[in-house]
Every structure is written in C-alpha cells, then in structure tokens.
C-alpha cells in the first residue's frame, strides 16, 4: 500500500498568453476595418444598384462576425482570468473560440464547394466589370487585416503540425562547436526516441578515433561523470547515457590537442504548440482563407474573361473550398486535442519522467496538459522510499519553465 502526499502551494491561476492584450487590440482593430468595409460596400451597392457589391458586403459581415468571436474570447478570458470558478484559469477560452471558428470555416468550405459544383453543372453569366474590382478590393482588405493580426512575429502557420526533417541534427537538444586541428567538431545531446547520449560529429572525410576522445561532465552540486565514445560511422556516440537534468559543464579531451570546455543548459524544448495562440490563429486563418479565395477568384475571372474559360471561375471556388477545409481540419484537430486535455508533448513528458527517475525513484503516474498559450499543467505521482518531500521534486522539475501548474503526489511504502 502507498500513502499519497500532495503539495499545496498557493500560486496564480492566470494562464493567458504573453501577447494576450496586444492580440486583443489587433483583433478589435481588424473588426473595425472589416466593419467599415462592410458598411461601405452595402451603402455603395444600394446607391449604385450593384447587387454584387451588396453581396460582398454581406459576406464581409460574416467575416467580421468570426473575428468578433475571437475578440470577445480575448476580452472575456482577460476579464475573468482571476475568477475562482475557473479551476485552471481561462487560458483555454481562446482554444474554444478557435474550435468554434474552425467549425464555421468547415461549413463555409462546404457551401463554397456546393456552389462551385452547381456552377459547373449550371453556368451563370458573370459580370466581369463588377466582379473583378470587388475581388481585388476584398483582397486588399484581407491583406491589410492579415498584416494587422500578424504584427509581432508570432507563429500562425496553417500547417498540421511541425515539420521534422529526417536528419538527426534536427533532434539535437543543444549543440556546441569545438575547434579542432582537423576541422570543426559538433558536440550535442541526442535523445530522439532513445536514451540521451552525447554525439560528436566530425567534418566529412576527417579521421577521428573513439579511443582518442574522453569527456567529463561537472554539475553544480560537484558531481562528475566520465563518458567514453564508440564509432557509429558518420559520428561518435557516448557509451554511457546522460542523466537528467542536462545542465552541466563538459570538458572534451582530444588526444594531442588538449581540453575543450563547453556548457550545456537545461531547456524544456517546448514545441511551438505550447505557445501558439489558437484564438489568433483562427482569426488569421479566416483572413487568410478569404484572401486565398480572393486570389483564386481573381485568377479565375481574368482567365474566364480573356480566354472565355467560364469553367475557371467555379474551379477556382472548388480549389478554395479544399484549401479552407484543409486549414479548418488542422485547427479542429489541434484545438480539439487541447480541449480534451491530450498530452501536448510526449517528449517533454518523457524528459520529466527521466528527470525524476534519475534520483532513483519511480514515476507511478504522470499527466501533462495545456492550460493556455505557453502554459502547461502537470500532475506527477512519485513512488519512493526516500525521505523526500514535494519541494524536492518541484525543484528538479523547475528546469521546465512551461510547467505553470505542477502538482506532486508522493507515494511511500506502507510501514
């Protein structure tokens, strides 16, 4: 039997993104821009008898409505960030708004696709003189909106995740260049799906024998560990595994060349998903989707007018529907995973487990989930026979700054 012990340390439950207020202001600014455009198109269309202009103005109103959802999510989550009714804060409200927007995008893509297929079967007359200028005007507004929303250099790409190259360098935790007589050597910690080990890469064609290399690490508490290397073909790899945390000074000794000192610092290696603001991402996708459709429509209209290819207009709409559906799927998948508290980063969870178990204890249970942009919550149950309290493990896990809410449960053997 075991006896649980849970840490209970008072702390803030505000888990909003670092750029929350700036993103909120930008979203409201874009709403005002779209609102002005909407009113101008509707009034102008009614004044000049252009039903196409009125229709585009009404379309802009749906666009502004989607952005309004994002803006209200920002405002509400900020206003009620300290409300004790929200056990883990209001950081997920933006993900909820992003999920709702993604559902709306999916419906829009279906409507566009249906309309495009209908026009393939039953072509309609196109008024090029009105349609092309309206499409160009819509593109300009969307580009201006995208610029306003994306200011600040945040990551709002529309892909379905991270692109990881096949090269092992992509997974190196931290790399240092060492100048040797035969050329620059790269010393790194590698741990992609395997226990962490040092890797030493040599210049192409350079001869570097494993037996001529020795490495020793020195940690802040004075602990030292020696590492030997073996040849893996294109690189040398340490025989010994590197215990957590990966924060130490390393002395690399090369026979005949002396010592080289490098310092490794512990990082939590958060993926961009940890910091991604899905509320702003949804707003950007709405704008980008509209801009993409505008570009496709302009291309289709120009080709239809110049070459008489009337079928290009519905084809452009069908392609646009597929693009919007793809972006919508990615947003639904990512926000849905957060709302269902899926583990946002298995590699980070594994690193946390190794950090605790490096002390000789066992992690009996570990839960990791996202609380908001840049904030993770974790519950760690440690089985140990050592006289250690929650503060000991909290200090060990402090190397992972994304852990904004950490609960430690200690299970000890029954006496």
């Amino acid at each position: 039997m075991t006896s649980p012990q849970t840490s209970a340390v008072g702390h803030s439950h505000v888990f909003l993104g670092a750029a929350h207020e700036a993103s909120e202001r930008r979203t409201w600014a874009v709403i005002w821009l779209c609102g002005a455009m909407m009113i101008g198109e509707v009034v102008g269309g009614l004044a000049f008898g252009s039903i196409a202009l009125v229709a585009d103005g009404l379309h802009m109103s749906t666009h502004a409505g989607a952005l309004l959802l994002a803006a209200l999510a920002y405002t509400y989550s900020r206003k009620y960030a300290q409300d004790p009714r929200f056990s883990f804060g209001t950081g997920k409200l933006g993900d909820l708004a992003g999920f709702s927007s993604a559902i709306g995008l999916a419906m829009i893509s279906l409507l566009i696709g249906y309309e495009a297929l209908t026009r393939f079967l039953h072509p309609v007359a196109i008024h090029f003189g009105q349609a092309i200028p309206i499409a160009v005007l819509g593109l300009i507004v969307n580009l201006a909106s995208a610029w306003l929303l994306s200011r600040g250099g945040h990551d709002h790409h529309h892909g379905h995740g991270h692109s990881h190259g096949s090269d092992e360098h992509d997974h190196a935790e931290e790399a240092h260049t060492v100048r040797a007589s035969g050329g620059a050597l790269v010393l790194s910690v590698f741990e992609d799906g395997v226990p962490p080990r040092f890797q030493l890469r040599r210049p192409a064609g350079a001869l570097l024998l494993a037996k001529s290399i020795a490495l020793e690490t020195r940690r802040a508490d004075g602990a030292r560990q020696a590492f030997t290397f073996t040849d893996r073909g294109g690189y040398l790899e340490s025989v010994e595994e590197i215990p957590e945390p990966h924060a130490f000074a390393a002395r690399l000794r090369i026979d005949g060349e002396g010592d080289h000192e490098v310092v490794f610092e512990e990082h939590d290696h958060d993926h961009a998903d940890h910091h991604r603001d899905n509320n702003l991402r949804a707003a950007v996708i709405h704008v980008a989707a509209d801009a993409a459709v505008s570009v496709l429509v302009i291309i289709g209209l120009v080709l239809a007018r110049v070459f008489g290819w009337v079928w290009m207009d519905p084809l452009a709409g069908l392609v646009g529907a597929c693009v919007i559906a793809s972006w919508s799927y990615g947003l639904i998948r990512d926000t849905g995973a957060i709302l269902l508290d899926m583990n946002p980063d298995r590699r980070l969870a594994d690193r946390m487990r190794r950090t605790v178990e490096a002390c000789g204890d066992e992690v009996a249970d570990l839960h990791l989930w996202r609380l908001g942009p840049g904030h993770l919550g974790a519950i760690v149950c440690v089985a140990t026979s050592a006289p250690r309290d929650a503060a000991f493990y909290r200090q060990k896990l402090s190397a992972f700054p994304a852990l904004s809410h950490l609960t430690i449960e200690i299970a000890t053997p029954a006496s």
Side-chain angles (χ1 to χ4, degrees):
M1 295 183 61
T2 59
S3 170
Q5 175 185 347
T6 305
S7 64
V9 181
H11 54 271
S12 171
H13 284 74
V14 178
F15 303 124
L16 304 181
H20 184 92
E21 292 187 6
S23 298
E24 180 182 353
R25 290 193 299 270
R26 290 198 297 270
T27 304
W28 280 112
V30 172
I31 289 174
W32 285 111
L33 175 63
C34 292
M37 177 71 180
M38 173 192 71
I39 294 173
E41 286 187 324
V42 172
V43 172
L46 293 175
F48 299 108
S50 172
I51 190 61
L53 202 56
V54 174
D56 196 65
L58 295 176
H59 163 72
M60 189 63 69
S61 69
T62 64
H63 187 53
L67 293 170
L68 182 61
L69 176 63
L72 291 176
Y74 278 126
T75 301
Y76 188 91
S77 58
R78 174 177 52 80
K79 182 177 179 180
Y80 293 96
Q82 302 280 3
D83 194 321
R85 293 178 298 172
F86 296 96
S87 299
F88 289 100
T90 56
K92 283 186 180 180
L93 192 59
D95 298 296
L96 179 59
F99 183 86
S100 303
S101 291
I103 297 296
L105 276 170
M107 295 177 64
I108 290 173
S109 70
L110 290 175
L111 289 174
I112 294 175
Y114 173 78
E115 183 67 22
L117 291 175
T118 300
R119 293 199 176 194
F120 266 122
L121 300 175
H122 306 287
V124 298
I126 302 174
H127 302 284
F128 296 104
Q130 291 180 330
I132 293 177
I134 291 173
V136 172
L137 182 60
L139 177 60
I140 293 173
V141 172
N142 285 315
L143 291 176
S145 299
W147 177 79
L148 284 172
L149 288 172
S150 61
R151 279 192 307 170
H154 298 286
D155 174 28
H156 306 301
H157 61 80
H158 310 126
H160 303 300
H162 298 282
S163 174
H164 297 295
S166 59
D167 194 289
E168 290 174 328
H169 289 289
D170 294 343
H171 304 286
E173 173 186 311
E174 186 175 353
H176 294 274
T177 301
V178 176
R179 302 295 175 183
S181 59
L185 305 175
V186 177
L187 178 67
S188 63
V189 175
F190 182 81
E191 56 171 335
D192 181 38
V194 296
R197 287 184 169 88
F198 286 109
Q199 287 189 354
L200 186 63
R201 298 188 174 272
R202 54 199 174 194
L207 180 61
L208 187 64
L209 301 178
K211 63 181 180 180
S212 67
I213 300 295
L215 187 145
E216 182 184 66
T217 59
R218 301 187 310 281
R219 298 180 180 269
D221 60 2
R224 294 172 179 261
Q225 182 180 2
F227 292 82
T228 56
F229 286 79
T230 185
D231 198 317
R232 298 297 188 190
Y235 60 93
L236 304 183
E237 186 176 78
S238 65
V239 176
E240 298 79 10
E241 299 177 11
I242 308 171
E244 299 280 358
H246 298 167
F248 43 73
R251 177 175 294 174
L252 179 67
R253 176 167 296 172
I254 305 175
D255 286 352
E257 296 193 22
D259 297 345
H260 300 270
E261 188 90 7
V262 295
V263 176
F264 286 83
E265 297 179 354
E266 181 67 271
H267 301 285
D268 62 356
H269 301 285
D270 294 344
H271 289 182
D273 288 346
H274 296 173
H275 299 276
R276 175 185 289 167
D277 184 343
N278 283 316
N279 192 28
L280 186 60
R281 178 187 173 198
V284 172
I285 288 180
H286 268 283
V287 172
D290 217 18
V293 171
S294 295
V295 171
L296 291 170
V297 166
I298 291 171
I299 294 174
L301 289 173
V302 170
L303 292 176
R305 183 173 189 176
V306 174
F307 299 104
W309 298 344
V310 180
W311 51 268
M312 280 298 302
D313 181 58
L315 178 61
L318 193 60
V319 173
C322 292
V323 171
I324 295 174
S326 174
W327 290 349
S328 172
Y329 169 77
L331 190 56
I332 289 174
R333 184 199 59 196
D334 294 344
T335 54
I338 293 171
L339 294 175
L340 292 173
D341 290 331
M342 289 182 65
N343 186 333
D345 191 342
R346 293 182 181 178
R347 291 181 64 197
L348 178 59
D350 289 341
R351 288 173 56 79
M352 293 171 57
R353 183 182 299 273
R354 291 199 301 266
T355 297
V356 173
E357 294 184 343
C359 307
D361 302 317
E362 178 187 356
V363 175
D365 197 14
L366 190 154
H367 300 277
L368 184 68
W369 71 97
R370 191 177 117 144
L371 302 168
H375 299 280
L376 297 178
I379 299 175
V380 183
C381 178
V382 184
T384 181
S385 57
R388 295 167 177 162
D389 60 8
F392 172 83
Y393 300 102
R394 190 177 296 278
Q395 190 278 327
K396 288 290 184 182
L397 294 173
S398 64
F400 305 98
L403 296 179
S404 301
H405 190 285
L406 178 61
T407 301
I408 305 292
E409 181 179 290
I410 299 176
T412 56
S415 55

